[in-house]
Amino acid sequence: MTLERDDFEYAGLNSQDDLQVEMGNVVLPSAPEMAEQATDIPAMYGNQFNGTDFTSRTISIPVSIYCADNQANFIQIMHNLSGLLLSDDPSVNGEEYPLIFGFEPDVTYWGHITAISDPSPINEGMYDMTLTITFVQSDPRATMPQVETALTNGLNTITVDGTARTEPVIQVVPKRALKYIGFTLNGGQFGLGPEDPDDQDTAVAPYTEVVDDPMGSMALWSDDASVISSMKINGKYVYQGASQIKTETGVMMVALSSGKKNYGTMPTTTDDTWYGPAYRYTGMTNSLTDWRIRTGVHHIKYSGTHNGRAIGQVAVLLLDANGETIGRFGIVDHGSGARPEAFLQLTEPGGTFTTGDGIHKDIYYGYGPSKAFTNKADAKIKIKTGTSTKTVTKTSKSKSGKVTKKSVKETVTNYANVVNKEETDALSSAWIMLDMTKIGQTYTWSITQYNTSTGQPYTDTNKYLIVHGTYVDTGKKYDTALGGIGSVMLKKPITEDIEKVAYINPFLSITNLQIWQANSVPTTTPTYVATANAEIVMDCEEDQVTVDGALVSPVWSTDFPKLKPGVNSLTLTGDIDDAQITLKYLPRIL
């Protein structure tokens, strides 16, 4: 929505449409609050100046409410104003939100509401009132729209708008494995990998690439019964239907046939059976004792009376050389609209992940952060299941008062009573990436949720699934070599399927597949920092570096360098002549 000059927007709420107030004359402060730091030294003329602290910035927003003599309307607007601007939820008490003024639409102020003054009448006896909303920025800088620009190896000249320094975020996707990467900027240095040139020369690759499938073609995926029959999952299942590649985004998804997802033919109505397409990857020719896999699954559960009740499952299966399942990673829905879960499991060859079977291990099985869970009141739904005829007795009375009874047949509508919980959590609409390494009996793993719009990993563990850990298979139960990969995208029949009630099945897809052989490297030997096509993000805003979404260290740095207003010289180093390199930053204003 385009803001009018006399409007403002806070946390996505429009002053006119949502808050029902009119903004007055806002006078922006000339500077943030400042505090001089000085030390009084005895016998010294004057004092020792230690610098100035720039603290918060306060913006006062005068607003008016016009209700004439309608007291009820005024009271409702005041309740609405407080309810939208303030929150008693401890989980969001520390959050700050964007404030944008219509007279300055390209500038965003991040902060929080600290006060809403008592209303003062404009005209005595009427409910036209003025009041002031007090907005405070913890970081007194405002931001302008994000800038993205391509960089090249070597010297880059960057001209930055605004009046304050800002933090660069550099994203690099190299064409080959990297021994090191870094940059210098305004006297600061930052890098990943060995800083010493001798160590850089002796660095060895910890992994050898075996598979790099960006899901651009189904050519190396087979659904032939002879190659998928030994791929087992939990419960009853029927592999049928088809998958296809969505070329715009490079994902494998359930194929569309006449606009409908092709899960095949629904099993008998009495079976609690999974059904849908299953495929095995045929491009892996050697089994790996020690390995690393990186893959992703995407799941969207749609809301609505019937959509929320849909049940889907998407999973990547780890297979042995015979095609038997030895592990799986994915997302699964539960019945009646219950929230979905993510799972990462290992099993002895041919296991079905049955609870209590003693042969499988749940590395992770959960919903993600509890703060992301929302639970609506259960909705009771009546679904028409057809009609039936029953005999009823009707009585009638004649004019003479005689009562007669007659049996007649009536057609009645039958209904099934079902429930839609419509619960949601972090995985209701989620793209999650698995990065798992097996060396000996040690499994090191991480599951990271990604933003589908930016392609960047989330960092807020209160809202998104971001977990990692180490599992040691001391009994060598799961020491079978990795010999293949499978994919399954399945659904379960629900009452709506039986009664032909239209609804939208969850969107399920697998996003990429990378497999490496893990090499034996002494702990004292420098190793490569990233494989070919890995995504490296050097983030000076979050003060961290990630490789394929996983935090990494060590880094070498004088500090996390910043861009200054005006002309900057940024020099990149590393074997990245043909890499895809993108600089992102937010110009800032004091």
Side-chain angles (χ1 to χ4, degrees), residues 280-498:
R280 181 176 176 181
Y281 186 71
T282 61
M284 188 172 174
T285 57
N286 296 318
S287 296
L288 304 175
T289 301
D290 293 331
W291 45 265
R292 176 188 174 193
I293 182 172
R294 186 169 188 269
T295 189
V297 296
H298 186 195
H299 167 272
I300 302 175
K301 191 176 183 70
Y302 300 98
S303 63
T305 301
H306 301 289
N307 301 338
R309 289 175 26 81
I311 305 173
Q313 175 183 176
V314 55
V316 175
L317 306 182
L318 309 183
L319 310 175
D320 67 7
N322 298 319
E324 293 195 322
T325 308
I326 59 173
R328 66 172 187 161
F329 160 70
I331 298 175
V332 61
D333 287 309
H334 298 299
S336 300
R339 54 182 170 158
E341 286 186 277
F343 53 81
L344 173 61
Q345 301 167 293
L346 300 174
T347 185
E348 296 178 25
T352 59
F353 309 100
T354 304
T355 302
D357 62 9
I359 65 170
H360 86 273
K361 169 68 179 178
D362 291 336
I363 302 290
Y364 179 82
Y365 209 120
Y367 302 103
S370 59
K371 291 182 179 179
F373 175 51
T374 59
N375 187 11
K376 296 182 180 179
D378 291 359
K380 296 181 179 179
I381 303 166
K382 295 175 68 176
I383 296 178
K384 183 178 178 180
T385 60
T387 59
S388 61
T389 302
K390 68 176 183 178
T391 302
V392 298
T393 301
K394 291 190 174 183
T395 61
S396 61
K397 182 185 289 187
S398 66
K399 291 182 179 180
S400 62
K402 182 179 180 181
V403 176
T404 60
K405 295 183 179 182
K406 181 171 67 173
S407 295
V408 297
K409 291 184 177 181
E410 284 189 347
T411 299
V412 295
T413 302
N414 300 319
Y415 294 92
N417 294 312
V418 297
V419 171
N420 180 19
K421 296 181 179 180
E422 199 147 357
E423 300 173 350
T424 60
D425 67 7
L427 301 171
S428 296
S429 179
W431 175 27
I432 58 175
M433 297 292 298
L434 169 69
D435 195 331
M436 188 176 192
T437 301
K438 175 191 177 294
I439 299 179
Q441 275 64 61
T442 301
Y443 292 83
T444 306
W445 61 275
S446 68
I447 300 174
T448 305
Q449 189 167 346
Y450 272 64
N451 186 314
T452 56
S453 299
T454 66
Q456 298 298 312
Y458 286 114
T459 58
D460 189 344
T461 56
N462 290 320
K463 292 183 177 180
Y464 305 104
L465 179 59
I466 306 167
V467 290
H468 61 87
T470 300
Y471 168 67
V472 180
D473 178 22
T474 55
K476 297 186 178 181
K477 292 178 65 175
Y478 312 114
D479 204 27
T480 306
L482 177 66
I485 295 295
S487 75
V488 293
M489 284 175 271
L490 314 172
K491 64 164 290 182
K492 273 188 178 180
I494 58 177
T495 305
E496 283 84 345
D497 291 298
I498 300 167

Side-chain angles (χ1 to χ4, degrees), residues 123-142:
N123 301 308
E124 290 297 329
M126 304 296 285
Y127 289 96
D128 297 334
M129 302 282 180
T130 62
L131 53 88
T132 300
I133 299 170
T134 303
F135 174 85
V136 175
Q137 292 180 269
S138 299
D139 181 340
R141 299 173 298 173

Side-chain angles (χ1 to χ4, degrees), residues 28-35 52-59 96 99 104 107-112 135-144 163-165 167 587-590:
L28 295 174
S30 57
E33 296 178 26
M34 293 177 279
T52 300
D53 289 341
F54 292 90
T55 59
S56 60
R57 179 203 300 261
T58 300
I59 300 176
E96 296 195 311
L99 171 67
E104 197 180 29
V107 176
T108 302
Y109 300 88
W110 287 86
H112 54 281
F135 174 85
V136 175
Q137 292 180 269
S138 299
D139 181 340
R141 299 173 298 173
T143 62
M144 299 168 69
T163 59
R165 295 188 305 160
E167 300 82 6
R588 296 184 184 273
I589 302 173
L590 279 173

Side-chain angles (χ1 to χ4, degrees), residues 1 49 65 101 151 173 218 261 305 310 315 363 374 433 449 464 497:
M1 177 187 297
F49 175 59
I65 300 172
F101 293 107
L151 300 180
V173 180
M218 293 293 295
K261 296 183 175 74
T305 301
I363 302 290
T374 59
M433 297 292 298
Q449 189 167 346
Y464 305 104
D497 291 298

